[in-house]
Amino acid sequence: MSYKDYEIVIGLEVHCELKTESKIFCGCTTQFGGDPNTHCCPICTGMPGTLPVLNGDVVEYAIRAGLATNCKISEYSKQDRKNYFYPDLPKAYQVSQYDLPLCYEGEVEIDLHEESKKIGITRIHIEEDAGKLLHESGEGSLVDYNRCGVPLIEIVTEPDLRSPEEVGIFMQKLRSILLYSDVSDCKMNEGSLRCDVNLSVRKKGSKEFGTRTEMKNINSFNFAVKAAEYEAKRQIKAIENGEAIIQETRRWDDAKGITISMRSKEEAHDYRYFPEPDLMPIVTPKEKIEAIRQALPEMPDTRKKRYMEAYGLSTYDADLIVASRNMADYYEEAAKASKNPKAVANWIMTEIFSRMTEDQKEEANIPFESGLLAELVNLIEQDIISNSIGKKVFNTMWETGKSPNEIVEEEGLKQISDDGPLIEMAKEVIEGNEKVVNDYLSGKEQAVQALMGQMMKKTKGQANPKKVIDILKSLLNEMK
Ligand code: ADP
Ligand code: MG
Ligand code: ZN
């Protein structure tokens, strides 16, 4: 038996913080940060006698997320109390949804290497976030309720994922959809997107699922993939050793690179769900749902297909560009203003993405407008500057935000395409390089490259490379 004889089965529960202005049941701000317990009121700190009022935006955002993931939307939905006793939750229950979630039966398509695959979305429900415990003080623990009552959606997938790699691809895709539908800023470092990874393994060909474990509260895609890789191997090894898998909650320890048992099913909470008596059912008429659907922006999949058809982008390039809505908008504006949309994509795929990685930017934050990228592409298209000078201009644009025309003018970077000076220079180079010239004349065609290199150096890269080659060859061929 080996790992290859097993199939991995994974389902995710993804928590996503909504970007509404105020919390789910009170008027407190949802802004990240702030001194501890400054974004709070009697309602979100669970004072007796207070009453919650549902924030209508929360319902609308959740429906938007549901429609963007091809879910059905419940016209009649309700909220329930999920009871558990822990100090991060001052009411001792979380208002969530149990049997009538707002959205259900959706699907998200992911692109694998050769084919695409649909991942079922079981449900999306709304709920409130909890506070944060700080254990660092050394004198007991402290609690910060600023996050308490911040609206969340929980997106539950069917156990349709079949490898750790698929987990990573799915999470990227889901993030992109949530960003497009403008329901969350999906900032991993602020905890606005996190997931629980449920994983089991089974012998290939087996119809029944194996016993699963759940890795809770993973706040990076990378950790989710690594946790799944580790856990799959751990389970297979245990089964091979004749041990039974225990249904339990585990924790990913990234420093150690392992998952650690937290509690078994026997110790699991009984949440004693019951309908929230202080809140009315959520009734959303069909017309309202349709209006939200109509207002939804074009989703990444549709955009990707459009860019491939209209601008000739490869699947790979289109995928990366549409992953962020800001980047897709930026690209499309530049593509429309340029004479070569494919070249615009190349600049994004190479220079812009690598600059963003260097600057550690999660989202497109390019220091110049899309029109200027189009201008740069057009300068190269029109042979006013060469591609290599283009890189130099790009760097200056990134640092100063100046327009490429301005930079080319100021630094005198225009390409030298006039035959006269180039022929003069070529003659000089040929005279000064007897050996290389003889090599060429005796049949070593590539020797011309050395001569070209010298001309490019003399002109600081500004000579039109095609012209240079043509002139050199014709002068050399005259010598034959
Ligand atoms: P619970 O209510 O205990 O959280 P659910 O049945 O709602 O359990 O499932 C939670 C998640 O676990 C879902 O994403 C689901 O796809 C996944 N899941 C369920 N069974 C398995 C299994 N055998 N292997 C892997 N994932 C599973
Ligand atoms: Mg669960
Ligand atoms: Zn409040």
Side-chain angles (χ1 to χ4, degrees):
M1 275 284 162
S2 79
Y3 292 110
K4 296 227 165 358
D5 300 318
Y6 288 84
E7 181 176 48
I8 303 170
V9 174
I10 304 168
L12 301 176
E13 292 159 281
V14 182
H15 288 92
C16 166
E17 239 166 49
L18 300 178
K19 61 189 231 188
T20 55
E21 297 274 313
S22 56
K23 292 186 178 180
I24 185 167
F25 301 124
C26 62
C28 292
T29 178
T30 55
Q31 226 169 56
F32 186 77
D35 286 339
N37 301 307
T38 55
H39 299 169
C40 304
C41 73
I43 295 173
C44 55
T45 49
M47 292 298 144
T50 57
L51 282 173
V53 177
L54 179 60
N55 178 346
D57 284 348
V58 172
V59 176
E60 180 161 340
Y61 284 34
I63 292 178
R64 223 145 73 196
L67 292 170
T69 51
N70 306 299
C71 283
K72 295 175 182 160
I73 310 298
S74 311
E75 287 171 57
Y76 183 90
S77 172
K78 72 169 170 60
Q79 296 171 90
D80 301 275
R81 286 189 185 178
K82 177 179 181 180
N83 299 278
Y84 70 89
F85 192 70
Y86 195 65
D88 65 353
L89 205 68
K91 293 186 295 222
Y93 59 82
Q94 178 193 31
V95 178
S96 180
Q97 296 196 280
Y98 186 55
D99 54 340
L100 291 175
L102 204 49
C103 319
Y104 59 101
E105 288 175 21
E107 63 186 26
V108 167
E109 193 170 284
I110 58 170
D111 287 312
L112 305 177
H113 303 287
E114 304 276 283
E115 77 247 287
S116 60
K117 171 177 172 178
K118 284 180 173 145
I119 305 302
I121 302 296
T122 316
R123 58 187 275 159
I124 300 179
H125 65 252
I126 57 172
E127 59 187 30
E128 55 183 336
D129 206 350
K132 201 165 116 196
L133 292 182
L134 304 158
H135 303 289
E136 290 124 40
S137 73
E139 312 162 42
S141 294
L142 298 170
V143 63
D144 174 8
Y145 287 127
N146 283 354
R147 304 315 294 158
C148 199
V150 167
L152 299 175
I153 47 176
E154 178 173 338
I155 303 163
V156 183
T157 80
E158 291 292 301
D160 287 345
L161 296 155
R162 287 293 173 271
S163 68
E165 193 197 3
E166 285 183 20
V167 170
I169 296 172
F170 174 82
M171 286 300 289
Q172 291 288 358
K173 186 62 177 284
L174 185 65
R175 176 169 187 270
S176 153
I177 291 172
L178 294 170
L179 284 173
Y180 269 74
S181 25
D182 209 18
V183 300
S184 171
D185 49 26
C186 295
K187 285 190 184 144
M188 298 295 203
N189 53 354
E190 295 181 4
S192 50
L193 197 62
R194 43 194 203 255
C195 71
D196 305 341
V197 178
N198 296 270
L199 185 146
S200 63
V201 298
R202 61 178 171 187
K203 292 254 168 71
K204 274 193 182 146
S206 149
K207 288 230 154 55
E208 315 255 291
F209 285 145
T211 303
R212 74 173 194 266
T213 60
E214 179 174 15
M215 270 79 55
K216 274 213 179 289
N217 240 328
I218 297 182
N219 64 0
S220 114
F221 294 171
N222 197 9
F223 291 176
V225 174
K226 287 203 277 185
E229 275 164 2
Y230 175 88
E231 185 59 15
K233 287 197 183 128
R234 187 192 70 83
Q235 289 188 15
I236 292 169
K237 205 160 150 197
I239 293 170
E240 288 288 292
N241 288 339
E243 295 162 27
I245 301 299
I246 308 160
Q247 186 171 344
E248 62 183 356
T249 304
R250 299 177 72 87
R251 178 171 69 79
W252 170 248
D253 184 328
D254 194 61
K256 296 204 179 90
I258 58 172
T259 62
I260 300 163
S261 175
M262 285 167 72
R263 54 174 187 264
S264 73
K265 196 188 177 189
E266 284 72 44
E267 301 160 68
H269 303 284
D270 171 8
Y271 292 123
R272 295 177 292 113
Y273 278 102
F274 63 84
E276 167 58 59
D278 289 342
L279 288 160
M280 299 288 281
I282 305 167
V283 178
T284 318
K286 264 203 186 72
E287 303 76 61
K288 175 84 191 285
I289 298 169
E290 279 319 302
I292 298 175
R293 192 196 304 276
Q294 290 309 319
L296 220 55
E298 186 183 33
M299 284 295 133
D301 279 344
T302 326
R303 272 208 180 190
K304 181 179 151 187
K305 285 191 191 101
R306 192 157 62 73
Y307 289 179
M308 288 171 69
E309 277 161 25
Y311 303 129
L313 301 196
S314 67
T315 319
Y316 183 77
D317 291 2
D319 233 2
L320 284 178
I321 287 172
V322 304
S324 136
R325 184 175 165 188
N326 286 344
M327 183 57 91
D329 287 344
Y330 187 91
Y331 169 69
E332 193 165 343
E333 283 163 23
K336 281 184 177 147
S338 88
K339 295 180 195 304
N340 186 346
K342 187 105 199 323
V344 173
N346 288 342
W347 281 98
I348 293 178
M349 294 297 296
T350 53
E351 303 301 317
I352 291 187
F353 278 149
S354 70
R355 277 297 189 136
M356 280 169 64
T357 317
E358 272 169 37
D359 301 357
Q360 304 208 318
K361 296 241 164 69
E362 232 182 293
E363 266 296 296
N365 200 349
I366 303 166
F368 48 82
E369 279 175 19
S370 57
L372 294 188
L373 180 60
E375 199 176 300
L376 175 65
V377 166
N378 291 348
L379 285 175
I380 297 167
E381 273 315 289
Q382 294 162 329
D383 268 342
I384 293 170
I385 57 171
S386 67
N387 214 38
S388 62
I389 291 291
K391 291 225 167 87
K392 200 166 149 186
V393 173
F394 175 90
N395 287 335
T396 314
M397 288 167 73
W398 195 277
E399 268 126 45
T400 63
K402 278 188 188 166
S403 89
N405 269 314
E406 210 180 334
I407 296 165
V408 167
E409 204 57 50
E410 272 178 17
E411 299 186 19
L413 296 174
K414 269 197 188 128
Q415 182 155 268
I416 306 167
S417 297
D418 289 347
D419 285 353
L422 288 180
I423 291 174
E424 279 314 301
M425 199 182 295
K427 281 182 180 160
E428 272 171 41
V429 168
I430 287 173
E431 263 165 40
N433 289 278
E434 217 173 307
K435 190 181 169 304
V436 185
V437 171
N438 285 335
D439 283 348
Y440 181 85
L441 294 177
S442 63
K444 268 198 186 165
E445 289 254 327
Q446 72 272 30
V448 73
Q449 297 294 339
L451 300 175
M452 174 174 170
Q454 290 202 20
M455 284 189 64
M456 295 312 281
K457 208 167 153 196
K458 272 181 192 267
T459 59
K460 297 202 184 73
Q462 277 168 253
N464 178 334
K466 217 176 130 302
K467 275 263 164 82
V468 169
I469 280 280
D470 287 349
I471 290 170
L472 280 170
K473 278 192 178 163
S474 83
L475 287 175
L476 288 166
N477 290 340
E478 277 170 24
M479 295 167 75
K480 270 188 182 164

